[in-house]
Amino acid sequence: MPVIGAVADDLTGATTTGVLLARSRAKTAVFFNEEAAEKASGAQRLDAILVSSNSRALPPEEAYEKVRSATMALKRMGILYFSKRIDTTLRGGVGTEIDAMLDCMDETAVAVVVPAMPQSRRILVGGFSIIDGTALIKTPVAQDVRTPVYENYIPRLLEKQTRRQVGLIKLDAVLKGCEEVKKELLRERSEGSEVIVVDSITLSDVETVAKACVELDWNVIAVDPGAFTAKLAYCRNLICQEEPNIPETETKELNKTVLIAAGSATPVTKRQMEVLCQDERVERIPVDPVLLIDGGQEGLAEVKRAARAALLYLDTERRPRAILFETALHGQLLDLAKEDEKRNYTDGMSANRINAGLGMIVSDVLKEAGMEKIAGLYTTGGDTMVNVCYQLGVESIEVLDYVIAQTDVGRLSGNYEGLPIIGKGGLTGNDQTAVDVVDRLFLEAGRK
């Protein structure tokens, strides 16, 4: 029976936290919404359930309702320990979503916010978020099209979003150890704080905070990108030490193909795909984003054209190692906000149509080619992963491991049962990451 439950503001965030639990021997699945989680036939065999509210870019009122609804669903499923999974770069309405979860709990509940993800070089010092050695607001995230971040001091960021008092425990207390953190937590609580932000720069720091919360026996809502949730579960003796879950594989080379849906337009993703495409066994199929945005018969025709091109490659005696479908890695980069304005679309509709188109292409290819020709799926960008899985009619993703932190390995449940999938955020990884992801999908495809 599941005892750990988390609500994440997007799908890749849910898999990032889920993988940390899965690598610690907790049977873990990620669901696309609370309805899918409650209807899932195998949910009771799980140790941890993560639900995506897909709320990061929503207005505050809508995000609140999405998170509240997902939290109540987890409560109905018998969850004992709750987490609010947040983006490592604090995008979205974090404070609003904290309120939504706390409003579902009794008055003893307190939100402990540990935004550090040391595995990904995300840390918090003096309440300030540092991303790979750079102040958060100086990173590309600050210019994110849908959810920009303008505040680097996290207590102040949260105070603008939550109805509750926000406190801060600084690094000097954390470095002094568990007893000092307990004293500071008690002090903040006695002064009226219901949302307490805590500095951390290492996994050891995160574990110190988790141990303090467990020893106080507090009713804690973990608010974090994943590391704090995992350390809390470990300190509660719910999971084991984290370790890789590398598959034993067949030794023969598989004549299969990885399908890649590249929805991210970041320079990081672009460079990764350029390196991947240096391999002559990788085929690249550009897709016209304007046609997908316009939709209608022309958009559908573009989907069918790309799918047919891929099927021709898959019909050869020696199949490509990977086929890349991309809309934003060639030509001039579109300003999607302007595309929305030009067509009188609601905010984000152009992006949604592009991602839906990529999902339809992958679905058409799988329907025609069948699973036996496909080694796995690789998606970049959380919205792309959601749309691919939606078009495939997938029930959930059983998470297993990661290639690197925030590049997560799973298997589809429901339609295309067992097909490997890896999702990666657009800002994650180095130049070789796409190559490593494709290699790992072949390992998963050969898992005994």
Side-chain angles (χ1 to χ4, degrees):
M1 180 177 173
V3 294
I4 302 169
V7 180
D9 63 1
D10 78 343
L11 187 63
T12 54
T15 61
T16 294
T17 297
V19 159
L20 297 179
L21 300 172
R23 281 167 58 97
S24 306
R25 301 184 191 175
K27 192 77 170 174
T28 306
V30 172
F31 293 87
F32 306 106
N33 52 55
E34 67 268 24
E35 292 89 353
E38 289 195 278
K39 291 178 182 176
S41 55
Q44 289 305 304
R45 67 180 174 82
L46 298 169
D47 302 306
I49 288 177
L50 296 98
V51 173
S52 171
S53 58
N54 201 28
S55 54
R56 182 179 298 169
L58 293 179
E61 300 81 7
E62 293 181 39
Y64 178 94
E65 286 303 323
K66 286 270 192 179
V67 173
R68 187 197 65 80
S69 178
T71 304
M72 294 305 295
L74 291 174
K75 290 187 76 172
R76 288 192 294 270
M77 296 178 75
I79 294 299
L80 299 178
Y81 302 108
F82 292 83
S83 290
K84 169 85 266 299
R85 198 282 172 182
I86 60 172
D87 178 44
T88 59
T89 55
L90 282 299
R91 289 175 290 179
V94 177
T96 299
E97 298 196 0
I98 291 171
D99 282 347
M101 287 200 87
L102 283 175
D103 286 350
C104 297
M105 307 297 167
D106 65 36
E107 66 279 0
T108 66
V110 57
V112 178
V113 185
V114 185
M117 188 78 166
Q119 307 97 309
S120 301
R121 297 175 64 84
R122 272 74 165 155
I123 64 174
L124 196 77
V125 181
F128 291 90
S129 178
I130 309 297
I131 310 296
D132 198 13
T134 302
L136 170 60
I137 58 172
K138 297 294 185 181
T139 68
V141 173
Q143 287 80 44
D144 186 89
V145 175
R146 301 183 72 185
T147 52
V149 179
Y150 303 116
E151 177 58 67
N152 216 98
Y153 185 62
I154 304 311
R156 190 159 51 233
L157 181 151
L158 295 178
E159 284 168 352
K160 295 174 182 177
Q161 299 173 351
T162 178
R163 294 181 267 105
R164 292 173 161 87
Q165 182 173 316
V166 179
L168 172 66
I169 297 176
K170 294 185 178 180
L171 186 62
D172 57 351
V174 177
L175 294 178
K176 290 175 183 176
C178 181
E179 291 302 317
E180 188 67 20
V181 174
K182 286 162 64 175
K183 289 178 185 176
E184 288 297 300
L185 287 168
L186 289 167
R187 178 188 58 77
E188 285 289 352
R189 200 74 172 103
S190 69
E191 293 176 1
S193 296
E194 296 178 79
V195 178
I196 305 173
V197 181
V198 189
D199 280 353
S200 294
I201 59 174
T202 67
L203 281 174
S204 178
D205 295 339
V206 177
E207 186 169 340
T208 295
V209 180
K211 185 178 179 183
C213 291
V214 171
E215 289 188 6
L216 287 172
D217 196 25
W218 275 12
N219 180 10
V220 168
I221 304 298
V223 182
D224 73 306
F228 183 50
T229 291
K231 290 299 184 184
L232 271 174
Y234 177 73
C235 291
R236 288 168 172 151
N237 297 315
L238 300 175
I239 61 175
C240 303
Q241 284 280 11
E242 182 187 340
E243 59 184 26
N245 182 13
I246 305 294
E248 294 183 23
T249 63
E250 303 289 347
T251 55
K252 65 179 181 180
E253 178 70 17
L254 299 174
N255 186 21
K256 295 188 175 188
T257 300
V258 170
L259 300 181
I260 306 172
S264 171
T266 66
V268 173
T269 296
K270 185 172 184 177
R271 177 57 184 159
Q272 288 168 352
M273 294 306 168
E274 287 172 350
V275 171
L276 177 67
C277 288
Q278 291 172 7
D279 186 337
E280 61 184 13
R281 299 171 297 172
V282 175
E283 301 293 346
R284 185 173 189 154
I285 301 178
V287 181
D288 190 330
V290 174
L291 294 178
L292 298 185
I293 292 171
D294 287 337
Q297 291 302 313
E298 289 188 347
L300 186 59
E302 180 66 356
V303 167
K304 299 298 182 185
R305 179 200 65 78
R308 283 196 302 272
L311 290 166
L312 287 174
Y313 287 126
L314 291 172
D315 207 27
T316 57
E317 183 177 346
R318 189 64 188 164
R319 300 184 184 103
R321 186 168 178 81
I323 295 174
L324 166 63
F325 304 105
E326 52 89 3
T327 61
L329 306 180
H330 66 281
Q332 186 175 357
L333 188 63
L334 294 177
D335 183 330
L336 296 181
K338 288 184 178 178
E339 297 298 321
D340 284 341
E341 185 178 350
K342 190 188 306 181
R343 295 168 176 79
N344 292 318
Y345 286 172
T346 57
D347 288 347
M349 190 171 176
S350 293
N352 289 340
R353 288 195 168 198
I354 290 172
N355 287 313
L358 288 170
M360 292 168 67
I361 293 166
V362 172
S363 178
D364 283 1
V365 172
L366 267 170
K367 283 178 185 175
E368 293 297 321
M371 276 179 60
E372 64 275 6
K373 294 181 180 180
I374 306 302
L377 308 178
Y378 172 22
T379 67
T380 70
D383 291 340
T384 305
M385 191 178 193
V386 168
N387 277 280
V388 167
C389 291
Y390 175 78
Q391 294 296 334
L392 295 178
V394 173
E395 180 182 88
S396 64
I397 297 173
E398 180 183 354
V399 288
L400 303 170
D401 198 6
Y402 57 66
V403 180
I404 58 173
Q406 296 182 271
T407 301
D408 306 316
V409 183
R411 288 182 175 273
L412 302 184
S413 297
N415 288 348
Y416 304 103
E417 182 80 28
L419 184 67
I421 185 169
I422 293 179
K424 187 193 78 68
L427 295 170
T428 303
N430 58 34
D431 288 358
Q432 292 296 315
T433 295
V435 175
D436 295 339
V437 167
V438 171
D439 288 345
R440 181 58 184 268
L441 283 167
F442 273 92
L443 278 179
E444 292 296 330
R447 185 187 283 263
K448 294 180 181 177

